[in-house]
């Protein structure tokens, strides 16, 4: 066997089940999180936050706070009037109002927890003591808590300049929905509610701005997913050039979308450090996290789905009211979550006629923003519930009705009614594989048996498709102030032969230091351990946004492929001179360049030394820097799909819900690291189970927050999560470099619907539908009490 | 979430503790396991001037068997109660219940005295004290005092303890032979406070229920004994009808709160379900005939 053939048979790095290389650091306490940063002379921030949901801010008396022990400065909005430019999440959407984002509330407060004053002190203790001494004369304004009421004409306005609380309204349609529904022999219809939740990262938000007096520059460490976006927006707010603001996201302890937006606290910390010419730090506590980190979901959906007598879907109509909270979050806009609900409602199905209308309504609650799954958990919940309701009407099995309606292999690429196009993906394959794994037929038989014994046992299927790795032709909100469609990789082999690959993404739990190193090592021919991944640093590449929206493997992985391939060519060309052979005879693998079929090689280190240091060994044209910077744009992105199946048993007396089995079959294209894909699915499903059964942010009619701690806001722990079974359907994407599809969010998308369907299936003999999540024992108790009456 | 500044006293003995409490004139709090106190300090719900740390006081953590009772020191950690062979032998209902008290990390720090003095209306230990007719022993600068459990719990987070008094130990009379027991709880998640919980002991005499005790938590401002249901059961064989009667009696005599996690009606429903299950369990464990 020749060495070349031998090399080709060796396991490739892409696809290898490699343990995460960042984990030894994180698990042994050697990680570096923002709050770990020790900065000489650092000052600490506490915010005085609003305890009113909607009020005009009268005079603020800060004298006692200024005089309190340990206090350096107290800022209110007036102090930033001339120094900080308000930012707006702009968009070309018709009738859209972009609310201003400021470091502190200006003139009025619009949610409980909105920062009004910032106290800078020697310690957080001093700062909190002083915060209590600030006296604010509030003039309470009418409540704006209910989104339906807030959308009415004559409602009290949160943003008077907008003239309405409806920040944006959109409609997507295809065909003649009303006529098609009227003609449909079978129609199912319901009002659905997905309750507000919070991302709840283990590490709350934190940031520290370090001020460099010598060049009037800031190095800003922040727990952000989007260092590039933060750099650009702070530069705009403070009117500084980008090279005087460097944004670094060091180790970040989870985010789930909650750290993907620009926050008032980030602007505040930068502006205060710049004005005081001192380092300033703020670490959110859990109460602040509940009150002021971008929340999620909170939609009311009226939807109707019409079928023919064979169970083929004909038309879908939906009206969505999104309760988006007080501001249009930067840069995503208030359209982000509710518009994606109507964008994805048709799901993986052929539905000819579609109309989705959506209103994003401002209310006096914390702003909502991106959250793992954005819109799709809600869309999938609605569509998958309707599918099950229709199956029951038609006497079809839930599996069968889905198989009848999926976009078929011959239909791809298929455009759904909202305009999104699905490329070839394993819709039916995922459903079939999930059913096989869970023994669907066997479970149905068991269900018949246990039902006769008086038990509530249910099986719930949820199938979905989503768009991931989106490129420059698709934007969240048309005309948004940022580009989310490209990422850049800069790969450098230095004079020691070591490989550094720099990216604009910011891994915060996804294991991208491992997976991107796998891609780089594979295409460069390096050893995995020789590749260092630099990310989470706005200075790493000229432009880049960060890690969100299931994009990093597709976009950064694509850029890594291009850049690593370009550098390999340079290495091979230089090596060809050293080995006195043609580049075509050479193979780069395991950190060396080998003459194929021989035992002659040079190591990367030797090549690098020859290129950079040993003048004269190589001709001038072979001495080019061993580096390349490449940008990748997947243009439209790609489709990811999955089916989740949950089996639940409900205690008929206490109504406790226990998930017995949970199977996911997913198609995320070519898998870079199955271990990491499994972990991402596990985490996502756990969060989806949270949305289905536990997590709910509760505001009362006055806009007061009732879930301000982890006693009141219930997040599932390991005890509540069943063993998760994952089946991979690896169909390479036809539209992305490497065939990758994004997969970071899917777990959260399918699980709420699967659990809801399983609970509804368990209670089907009682005629109970599950149209509101989370479905708690209390909600079940009320549903059962009503059904028995 | 930083506490207001306070002074800290490391107490060496029970006497120095109560002296410090008295000197502070109501402005001091005892720091034991800190599992409830420290969050309340951080939320600034409590603003004591002084914390008196009793963690270093010798001989305050013990589980001792005496002729007719078991004595438990106030500084005994939950975990010790959960794993003690003495408790397992004499009060298996306690060992079972302790597994429902929060999570292991909290049970390693939290103390018996702390939980009883804090008196959360959904906590397990106060209900166990009621179930087992425990006596709580407290000390003040003027001397010791013994309080029956049913006199100790006055309201939510309110107990019969003066500002200069400290709970030092709990004594629990041993149960008669042929006593079956049960502890059942519904909480939203593993380790959460109970939405409702019921603990039962049934002591059989000649195949009949000699004494029934039913204690409940999560269903009122304090834990409660189900006096009416207990009276119904005494002297009878457990039957399905009797269980139903006990459930009805329990539901009629509780006043459950409504909060974010459960309504009063659902809690009332639960307490009945759990009472039924616990009675059947305890009866089976006592060796009673199948109902």
């Amino acid at each position: 066997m020749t060495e070349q053939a031998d090399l080709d048979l060796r396991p490739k790095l892409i696809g290898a089940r490699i343990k995460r290389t960042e984990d030894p650091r994180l698990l042994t306490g050697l990680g570096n999180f923002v709050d770990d940063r020790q900065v000489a002379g650092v000052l600490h921030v506490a915010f005085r936050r609003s305890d009113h949901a909607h009020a005009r801010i009268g005079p603020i008396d800060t004298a006692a706070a200024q005089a309190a022990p340990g206090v350096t400065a107290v800022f209110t909005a007036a102090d930033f009037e001339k120094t900080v430019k308000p930012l707006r999440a702009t968009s070309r959407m018709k009738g859209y109002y972009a609310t201003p984002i400021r470091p502190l509330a200006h003139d009025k407060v619009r949610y409980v927890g909105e920062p009004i004053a910032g106290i800078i002190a020697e310690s957080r203790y001093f700062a909190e003591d002083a915060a209590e001494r600030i006296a604010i004369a509030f003039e309470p304004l009418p409540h704006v808590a209910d989104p339906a009421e807030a959308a009415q004409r004559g409602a009290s306005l949160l943003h008077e300049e907008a003239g309405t609380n409806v920040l944006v309204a959109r409609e997507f349609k295809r065909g003649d929905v009303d006529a098609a529904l009227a003609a449909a022999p079978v129609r199912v219809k319901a009002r659905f509610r997905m309750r507000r939740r919070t991302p709840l990262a283990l590490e709350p938000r934190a940031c520290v701005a370090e001020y460099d007096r010598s060049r009037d520059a800031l190095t800003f460490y922040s727990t952000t997913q989007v260092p590039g976006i933060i750099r650009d927006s702070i530069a705009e707010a403070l009117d500084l050039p980008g090279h005087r603001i460097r944004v670094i996201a060091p180790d970040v302890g989870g985010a789930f979308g909650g750290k993907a937006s620009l926050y008032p606290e980030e602007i505040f910390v930068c502006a205060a450090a710049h004005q005081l010419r001192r380092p300033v730090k703020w670490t959110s506590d859990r109460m602040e996290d509940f009150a002021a980190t971008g929340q999620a979901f909170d939609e009311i959906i009226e939807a109707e789905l019409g079928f023919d007598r064979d169970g083929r879907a004909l038309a879908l109509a939906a009206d969505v009211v999104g309760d988006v909270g007080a501001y249009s979050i930067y840069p995503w806009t208030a359209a982000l979550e509710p518009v994606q609900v109507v964008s994805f409602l048709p799901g993986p199905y052929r539905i000819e006629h579609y109309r989705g209308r959506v209103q994003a309504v401002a209310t006096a609650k914390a702003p909502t923003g991106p959250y793992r799954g954005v819109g799709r958990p809600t869309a999938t919940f609605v569509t998958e519930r309707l599918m099950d309701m229709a199956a029951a009407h038609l006497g079809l099995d839930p599996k069968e009705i889905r198989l009848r309606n999926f976009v078929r292999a011959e239909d791809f690429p298929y455009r759904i009614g909202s305009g999104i196009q699905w490329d070839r993906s394993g819709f039916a394959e995922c459903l079939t594989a999930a059913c096989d794994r869970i023994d669907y037929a066997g479970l149905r038989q068991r269900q018949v048996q246990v039902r006769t014994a008086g038990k509530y046992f249910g099986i719930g299927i949820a199938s979905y498709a989503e768009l991931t790795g989106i490129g420059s032709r698709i934007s969240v909100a048309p005309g948004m102030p940022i580009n989310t469609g490209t990422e850049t990789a800069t790969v450098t082999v230095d004079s020691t032969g070591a490989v550094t690959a720099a990216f604009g993404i910011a891994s915060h739990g996804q294991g991208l230091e491992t997976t991107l190193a796998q891609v780089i090592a594979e295409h460069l021919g390096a050893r995995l351990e020789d590749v260092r991944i630099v990310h989470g640093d706005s200075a790493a590449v000229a432009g880049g946004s960060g890690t969100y929206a299931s994009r990093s493997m597709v976009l950064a992985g694509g850029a890594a492929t291009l850049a690593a391939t370009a550098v390999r060519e340079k290495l091979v060309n230089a090596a060809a001179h050293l080995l006195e052979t043609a580049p075509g005879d050479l193979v780069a693998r395991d950190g060396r360049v080998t003459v194929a079929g021989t035992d002659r090689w040079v190591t990367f280190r030797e090549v690098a030394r020859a290129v950079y240091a040993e003048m004269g060994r190589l001709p001038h044209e072979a001495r080019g820097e061993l580096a390349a910077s490449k940008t990748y744009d997947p243009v439209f992105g790609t489709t990811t799909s999955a089916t989740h199946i949950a089996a639940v048993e409900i205690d008929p007396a206490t109504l406790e819900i226990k998930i017995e089995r949970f199977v996911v079959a997913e198609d995320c294209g070519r898998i870079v690291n199955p271990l990491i894909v499994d972990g991402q699915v596990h985490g996502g499903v756990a969060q989806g189970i949270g949305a289905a059964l536990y997590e709910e942010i509760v505001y009362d009619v006055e806009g007061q927050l009732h879930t301000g701690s982890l006693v009141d806001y219930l997040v599932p722990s390991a005890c509540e999560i069943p063993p998760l079974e994952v089946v991979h359907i690896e169909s390479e994407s036809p539209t992305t470099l490497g065939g990758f599809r994004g997969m970071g969010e899917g777990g959260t998308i399918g699980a709420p619907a699967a659990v809801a369907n399983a609970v509804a299936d368990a209670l089907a003999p009682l005629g109970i539908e599950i149209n509101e999540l989370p479905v708690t024992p209390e909600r079940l108790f009320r549903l059962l009490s009503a059904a028995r009456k | 979430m930083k506490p207001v500044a306070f002074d800290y006293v490391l107490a060496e003995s029970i006497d120095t503790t109560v002296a410090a409490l008295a000197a502070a004139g109501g402005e001091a709090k005892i720091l034991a396991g800190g599992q409830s106190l420290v969050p309340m300090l951080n939320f600034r719900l409590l603003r004591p001037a002084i914390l008196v740390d009793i963690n270093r006081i010798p001989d305050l953590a013990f589980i001792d068997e005496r002729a007719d009772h078991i004595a438990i020191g106030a500084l005994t950690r939950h975990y010790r109660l959960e794993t003690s062979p003495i408790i397992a032998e004499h009060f298996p209902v306690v060992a079972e219940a302790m597994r429902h008290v929060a999570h292991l990390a909290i049970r390693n720090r939290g103390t018996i005295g702390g939980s009883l003095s804090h008196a959360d209306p959904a906590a397990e230990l106060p209900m166990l004290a009621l179930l087992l007719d425990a006596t709580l022993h407290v000390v003040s600068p003027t001397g010791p005092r013994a309080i029956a459990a049913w006199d100790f719990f006055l309201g939510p987070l309110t107990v019969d303890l003066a500002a200069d008094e400290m709970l030092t130990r709990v004594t629990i009379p041993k149960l008669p032979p042929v006593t079956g027991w049960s502890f059942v709880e519904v909480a939203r998640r593993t380790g959460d406070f109970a939405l409702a919980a019921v603990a039962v002991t049934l002591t059989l005499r000649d195949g009949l229920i000699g004494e029934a005790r039913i204690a409940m938590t999560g269903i009122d401002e304090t834990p409660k004994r189900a006096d009416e249901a207990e009276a119904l059961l005494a002297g009878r064989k457990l039957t399905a009808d009797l269980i139903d009667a006990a459930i009805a009696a329990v539901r009629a005599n509780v006043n459950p709160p409504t909060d974010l996690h459960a309504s009063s009606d659902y809690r009332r429903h639960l307490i009945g379900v759990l009472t039924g299950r616990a009675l059947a369990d305890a009866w089976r464990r006592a060796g009673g005939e199948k109902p």
Side-chain angles (χ1 to χ4, degrees):
Chain A
M1 187 182 283
T2 65
E3 176 156 352
Q4 180 61 54
D6 182 43
L7 281 171
D8 285 347
L9 285 174
R10 275 195 238 172
K12 292 188 179 264
L13 282 164
I14 292 178
R17 204 173 174 85
I18 292 169
K19 284 188 183 173
R20 304 194 334 161
T21 55
E22 45 270 82
D23 280 353
R25 169 177 97 233
L26 297 171
L27 295 175
T28 56
L30 296 175
N32 274 297
F33 295 85
V34 170
D35 196 55
D36 293 330
R37 243 191 117 63
Q38 300 294 318
V39 186
V42 72
L43 297 170
H44 299 265
V45 179
F47 291 102
R48 171 67 184 268
R49 295 176 180 273
S50 177
D51 40 21
H52 288 261
H54 190 204
R56 205 160 292 290
I57 303 170
I60 305 176
D61 182 357
T62 62
Q66 307 249 21
V71 171
T72 305
V74 178
F75 289 95
T76 65
D79 298 304
F80 296 123
E81 202 72 351
K82 294 200 177 84
T83 50
V84 180
K85 178 185 159 194
L87 298 180
R88 289 173 195 262
T90 52
S91 167
R92 288 193 306 268
M93 290 180 293
K94 211 176 109 200
Y96 163 65
Y97 177 72
T99 62
I101 311 290
R102 292 187 166 90
L104 295 169
H106 171 82
D107 196 29
K108 60 189 274 192
V109 287
R110 297 179 177 87
Y111 63 95
V112 169
E114 184 168 8
I116 300 168
I119 298 91
I120 315 267
E122 287 165 28
S123 77
R124 174 73 179 238
Y125 293 85
F126 283 134
E128 288 195 21
D129 290 346
E132 292 187 337
R133 298 186 178 200
I134 295 174
I136 303 167
F138 288 105
E139 181 196 322
L141 294 165
H143 309 313
V144 191
D146 180 83
E149 284 172 22
Q152 302 289 318
R153 227 176 265 278
S156 176
L157 296 180
L158 275 189
H159 299 273
E160 287 83 355
E161 326 81 80
T164 170
N165 289 318
V166 181
L167 295 182
V168 63
R170 295 189 78 181
E171 179 176 304
F172 297 81
K173 68 176 180 183
R174 179 171 78 186
D176 188 342
V177 169
D178 292 329
L181 275 177
V186 176
R187 291 195 295 268
V188 286
K189 180 180 182 176
R191 183 175 190 271
F192 298 92
R193 183 86 205 242
M194 194 80 152
R195 293 284 174 176
R196 185 175 276 247
R197 63 171 293 173
T198 183
L200 204 81
L202 192 57
E203 179 201 27
R205 289 184 291 127
C207 54
V208 54
E210 299 179 20
Y211 183 72
D212 179 348
R213 290 184 189 215
S214 69
R215 54 186 200 97
D216 187 30
L218 294 169
T219 304
F220 183 55
Y221 289 81
S222 182
T223 56
T224 185
Q225 299 171 243
V226 288
I229 293 174
I230 301 301
R231 193 268 310 269
D232 294 357
S233 53
I234 299 282
E236 191 186 343
L238 301 187
D239 192 24
L240 290 171
H243 62 243
R244 277 163 55 197
I245 300 174
R246 179 178 174 192
V247 177
I248 296 173
D251 285 325
V252 173
F256 316 113
K259 297 169 180 170
S261 305
L262 173 72
Y263 282 95
E265 294 94 343
E266 291 179 304
I267 311 174
F268 176 89
V269 167
C270 287
H274 195 234
Q275 260 167 257
L276 294 170
R277 300 165 65 85
R278 295 277 303 272
V280 172
K281 179 182 194 174
W282 170 71
T283 301
S284 164
D285 59 36
R286 190 57 70 186
M287 277 204 298
E288 293 181 289
D289 190 56
F290 276 113
T293 289
Q295 298 174 350
F297 301 165
D298 212 350
E299 282 117 2
I300 301 161
I301 306 100
E302 308 249 8
E304 183 171 18
L305 185 50
F307 291 82
D308 68 16
R309 293 194 193 282
D310 296 328
R312 292 196 171 78
L314 302 170
L316 170 63
D319 282 280
V320 176
V321 174
D323 181 344
V324 298
Y327 291 93
S328 182
I329 205 158
Y330 187 94
W332 310 110
T333 81
L336 174 73
E337 163 73 25
V339 168
Q340 290 214 31
V341 175
V342 289
S343 295
F344 288 95
L345 268 172
Y349 304 112
R350 282 170 292 134
I351 305 174
E352 190 50 39
H353 302 274
Y354 176 62
R355 183 184 62 227
R357 289 190 290 229
V358 59
Q359 287 186 313
V361 184
T363 58
K365 301 172 194 167
T368 56
Y371 171 73
R372 197 175 194 176
V374 185
R376 289 153 286 169
T378 304
T380 303
F381 167 53
V382 170
T383 303
E384 292 301 281
R385 285 295 302 122
L386 289 170
M387 279 288 166
D388 269 20
M389 291 160 76
H393 267 266
L394 288 153
L396 282 175
D397 186 273
K399 177 185 177 188
E400 178 56 28
I401 198 169
R402 287 173 173 80
L403 287 172
R404 284 188 194 183
N405 284 288
F406 278 144
V407 176
R408 297 160 303 190
E410 63 268 30
D411 299 325
F412 294 117
Y414 179 86
R415 190 174 294 280
I416 58 173
S418 60
I420 287 169
Q421 184 168 295
W422 300 138
D423 59 50
R424 178 169 50 75
S425 177
F427 295 178
E429 291 86 339
C430 285
L431 174 59
T432 307
C435 286
D436 289 350
R437 168 60 77 93
I438 207 165
D439 182 20
Y440 184 71
L443 278 187
R444 284 287 173 209
Q445 281 174 6
R446 188 177 139 208
Q447 182 177 38
V448 174
Q449 290 160 7
V450 300
R451 267 192 183 152
T452 49
K455 288 187 174 171
Y456 298 158
F457 177 76
I459 307 151
I461 299 177
S463 298
Y464 67 84
E466 56 163 335
L467 206 53
T468 61
I470 56 174
S472 59
R473 293 288 291 278
I474 310 258
S475 83
V476 169
M480 234 176 18
I482 61 158
N483 160 37
T484 60
T486 60
E487 275 299 332
T488 300
T490 301
V491 175
T492 309
V493 177
D494 68 21
S495 51
T496 70
V499 183
T500 302
F503 293 89
I505 57 98
S507 184
H508 49 276
Q510 294 85 350
L512 286 159
E513 288 178 29
T514 307
T515 47
L516 287 173
Q518 287 177 257
V519 173
I520 297 278
E522 172 101 28
H523 289 287
L524 189 60
R527 294 182 303 180
L528 187 73
E529 60 270 30
D530 291 340
V531 179
R532 177 173 178 235
I533 302 297
V534 174
H535 64 97
D537 182 347
S538 68
V541 292
S545 54
T547 288
Y548 52 90
S550 302
R551 71 193 291 273
S552 293
M553 206 60 245
V554 174
L555 275 79
T561 302
L562 296 172
T565 303
V567 175
R568 187 190 62 210
E569 283 168 15
K570 293 185 179 187
L571 274 167
V572 167
N573 283 334
H577 288 279
L578 299 176
L579 293 164
E580 296 176 325
T581 183
D585 296 333
L586 297 177
V587 178
R589 189 66 60 93
D590 294 333
R592 59 197 196 194
V593 184
T594 306
V595 181
T598 74
D599 57 359
R600 293 177 57 223
W601 70 71
V602 285
T603 62
F604 281 15
R605 180 182 286 247
E606 288 164 334
V607 177
R609 200 175 288 146
V611 168
Y612 293 110
E614 296 169 355
M615 295 298 106
R617 269 197 87 185
L618 291 172
H620 179 74
E621 64 273 15
R623 290 213 313 264
E625 195 180 49
L626 299 173
S629 194
K630 297 284 180 186
T631 296
Y632 177 61
D633 178 356
V635 190
F636 288 103
T638 187
T639 304
T640 298
S641 62
T643 290
H644 293 205
I645 304 183
V648 307
E649 183 162 351
I650 302 171
D651 184 317
T654 64
L655 308 178
E656 293 165 287
I657 300 166
K658 183 170 187 290
I659 302 175
E660 286 198 354
R661 300 266 316 263
F662 201 105
V663 169
V664 175
E666 57 81 42
D667 174 13
C668 72
R670 190 179 187 192
I671 290 177
V672 177
N673 186 333
L675 192 65
I676 284 179
V677 171
D678 283 348
Q680 287 283 302
V681 173
H682 291 173
V685 168
Q687 285 186 304
I689 289 172
L693 300 178
Y694 299 100
E695 297 182 51
E696 179 175 357
I697 287 281
V698 178
Y699 284 93
D700 66 19
V701 291
E702 296 181 357
Q704 288 294 332
L705 177 63
H706 285 242
T707 41
S709 82
L710 288 165
V711 173
D712 299 315
Y713 185 87
L714 304 187
V715 63
S717 70
C719 304
E720 280 70 50
I721 303 300
L724 304 173
E725 302 163 60
V726 186
V727 184
H728 303 292
I729 307 294
E730 207 172 342
S731 77
E732 289 187 18
S733 168
T735 62
T736 66
L737 199 55
F740 308 142
R741 306 176 193 263
M743 54 73 49
E745 297 169 275
T748 327
I749 296 169
V755 173
N757 277 341
V759 172
D761 184 49
L763 301 175
L766 305 172
I768 286 171
E769 296 291 357
I770 301 301
N771 297 338
E772 180 175 7
L773 293 182
V775 51
T776 60
E778 172 67 32
R779 287 204 170 102
L780 278 188
F781 177 72
R782 276 189 262 138
L783 286 170
L784 262 76
S785 302
R788 282 179 184 137
K789 267 174 196 158
Chain B
M1 288 181 69
K2 302 293 184 199
V4 174
F6 54 81
D7 285 332
Y8 170 89
V9 176
L10 182 61
E12 289 153 7
S13 66
I14 292 169
D15 288 346
T16 55
T17 303
V18 294
L21 293 177
E27 293 299 314
K29 290 297 278 184
I30 291 177
L31 174 65
Q35 299 303 295
S36 300
L37 177 65
V38 172
M40 291 175 87
L41 295 177
N42 287 345
F43 279 116
R44 298 192 168 206
L45 293 170
L46 287 177
R47 295 167 179 242
I50 301 171
L51 286 192
V52 184
D53 184 347
I54 62 167
N55 283 285
R56 305 282 175 84
I57 298 178
D59 306 326
L60 206 49
F62 55 84
I63 299 172
D64 289 342
E65 183 175 356
R66 303 285 154 79
D68 61 345
H69 70 272
I70 306 294
I72 305 170
L75 203 58
T76 307
R77 313 283 161 176
H78 298 316
Y79 180 68
R80 193 148 163 220
L81 210 56
E82 182 186 351
T83 54
S84 155
I86 297 174
I87 297 297
E89 183 190 343
H90 293 282
F91 306 113
V93 66
V94 173
E96 171 65 23
M98 294 316 289
R99 295 173 42 217
H100 293 264
V101 177
H103 298 274
L104 186 57
I106 293 172
R107 296 202 291 272
N108 274 333
R109 289 294 302 168
T111 66
I112 311 314
S115 180
L116 292 169
S117 305
H118 182 61
D120 189 291
E124 290 84 358
L125 271 164
M127 80 180 291
L128 293 171
L130 273 184
L131 176 80
L132 299 171
D133 292 338
T135 302
L136 291 85
H137 301 267
V138 308
V139 171
S140 76
T142 54
R145 181 165 75 100
I147 312 156
W150 56 81
D151 290 328
F152 187 70
F153 302 104
L154 304 177
L157 311 186
T158 311
V159 294
D160 179 20
L161 259 186
D164 61 354
E165 278 182 320
M166 168 192 177
L167 176 63
T168 57
R169 87 196 138 91
V170 181
T171 51
I172 309 176
K174 287 183 181 173
L175 290 166
V178 203
T179 296
W181 61 273
S182 177
F183 178 89
V184 281
E185 173 173 316
V186 171
R188 288 295 309 279
R189 298 170 304 179
T190 303
D192 278 342
F193 279 112
L195 295 184
V198 175
V200 165
T201 61
L202 292 181
T203 301
L204 267 55
R205 281 182 208 120
D206 305 328
L208 304 177
I209 298 171
E211 187 194 15
R213 299 187 204 167
I214 304 171
M216 307 170 287
T217 194
I219 41 69
D220 217 321
E221 295 197 329
T222 64
K224 275 189 151 182
R225 282 278 287 270
D227 301 329
E228 298 78 5
E230 289 179 6
L232 273 179
L233 293 161
R236 319 243 329 242
K237 252 193 184 110
L238 193 71
T239 61
D241 286 347
L242 190 56
I243 290 177
D244 286 345
I247 289 173
V250 163
R251 285 188 176 141
N253 287 289
V254 293
N255 180 30
T258 291
D259 63 21
L260 285 177
H261 304 307
S263 64
S264 181
D265 286 347
Y266 175 51
R267 282 194 163 94
R268 189 186 306 279
H269 165 79
L270 276 182
I271 204 70
V273 172
L274 296 179
T275 298
R277 288 180 182 178
L279 285 173
D281 252 11
W283 176 256
R284 180 181 52 75
R285 282 201 177 98
E289 282 172 41
K290 255 196 159 174

